[in-house]
Amino acid sequence: MFNYTDASSKTMYDGFSYSKITKTVKERIKGVSYHKNRYITYKDLRYVTVRYYNYKGKEKTGEMIVNKAIAEDVVNVFYELYKIKYPIRRIELVDKYGADDNQSMRADNTSCFNYREIAGSNGSLSMHGLGLAIDINPRINPCVGGAHGIVPDNGRVYAERNVNKCRGRYRTNMIHKNDKAYKIFKKYGFSWGGNWKSMKDYQHFYKVPPKYRNVSGYEW
């Protein structure tokens, strides 16, 4: 069990909580996933802990950092996923991977906050940079059709989204429109990158409150 919360922690369900960013968490993310900027401060973020079932059906505890505007929604989403034993490979801070998004995705890591620009853009801030987007099981739900082809590269087999044609071992865990995961995220107001026309980002769920709509790009 992680112990990075403080008196501000709000436990919504057993094993599901969020709190302000503590000094200990700051030390973990400063200069890694977090960099001083004009858009978002530590006060705008929340540290979240959740329970989940991994691909082997074992119960685990995960952690992520999200924007405070969506903290309760995120906890509710993962609580509902937990209740149906939805399989998730791992939920770790992207800092474990040096804030390298590609490495995190290759590890099939579900994550949210990472202050960064959209890959290949001219300085456009990613929604992950505001803690408003979640990439879930990214290896089996890759981004397909963008400037970088298929990301992560070890998720290439899952670019085939037809379960009957896909040859990936975890093809039955892939996200599809109107499946259980999609409906849970949608219930709490999230949109899905799998619905985009220019490219398909099957791992990507995002929710953008009005105050941030002119700040970040909707891709990545």
Side-chain angles (χ1 to χ4, degrees):
M1 179 65 70
F2 300 105
N3 187 27
Y4 299 115
T5 59
D6 63 7
S8 71
S9 177
K10 179 177 180 179
T11 299
M12 295 179 62
Y13 313 98
D14 183 26
F16 295 79
S17 67
Y18 67 88
S19 68
K20 293 180 180 179
I21 303 300
T22 64
K23 180 180 179 181
T24 303
V25 174
K26 284 181 183 179
E27 291 174 350
R28 295 174 64 193
I29 69 176
K30 183 178 180 181
V32 191
S33 67
Y34 184 87
H35 301 271
K36 188 175 181 180
N37 65 92
R38 61 184 173 132
Y39 298 115
I40 195 164
T41 69
Y42 291 116
K43 292 181 180 180
D44 296 314
L45 301 172
R46 293 294 182 265
Y47 173 80
V48 173
T49 58
V50 299
R51 294 159 67 188
Y52 66 98
Y53 289 91
N54 68 10
Y55 287 177
K56 295 181 179 180
K58 293 184 178 180
E59 188 173 337
K60 299 287 184 176
T61 296
E63 57 177 351
M64 68 176 66
I65 291 174
V66 308
N67 192 295
K68 69 178 182 181
I70 66 168
E72 287 200 7
D73 291 326
V74 170
V75 172
N76 279 319
V77 164
F78 280 88
Y79 178 63
E80 293 207 23
L81 291 173
Y82 170 79
K83 286 195 298 181
I84 64 172
K85 295 188 176 182
Y86 188 82
I88 300 174
R89 170 87 71 179
R90 54 174 56 89
I91 306 176
E92 302 170 328
L93 298 189
V94 72
D95 304 82
K96 181 174 180 179
Y97 305 90
D100 185 323
D101 190 53
N102 286 320
Q103 291 302 315
S104 179
M105 287 190 292
R106 284 181 58 82
D108 211 12
N109 178 46
T110 295
S111 66
C112 180
F113 176 72
N114 187 11
Y115 191 82
R116 61 179 175 81
E117 298 175 355
I118 298 171
S121 74
N122 293 316
S124 296
L125 183 63
S126 165
M127 284 187 295
H128 290 286
L130 297 174
L132 297 173
I134 293 172
D135 286 345
I136 182 167
N137 293 338
R139 185 189 172 198
I140 65 171
N141 298 294
C143 180
V144 179
H148 299 275
I150 299 173
V151 182
D153 56 4
N154 66 346
R156 185 171 298 275
V157 66
Y158 296 103
E160 171 55 72
R161 305 307 286 176
N162 186 319
V163 175
N164 294 322
K165 295 180 179 181
C166 179
R167 303 173 73 177
R169 178 180 180 183
Y170 302 105
R171 58 189 177 276
T172 58
N173 294 347
M174 296 189 299
I175 295 171
H176 292 89
K177 187 174 182 178
N178 293 322
D179 69 7
K180 292 179 179 179
Y182 175 93
K183 288 181 177 179
I184 289 173
F185 274 98
K186 185 176 180 180
K187 175 181 176 180
Y188 291 97
F190 286 81
S191 298
W192 183 46
N195 285 330
W196 292 345
K197 294 181 180 180
S198 60
M199 67 179 186
K200 302 292 185 180
D201 199 352
Y202 297 109
Q203 64 196 261
H204 188 82
F205 286 92
Y206 59 100
K207 184 174 183 177
V208 185
K211 67 177 290 186
Y212 293 110
R213 286 179 184 165
N214 294 321
V215 176
S216 68
Y218 278 30
E219 296 182 352
W220 296 50

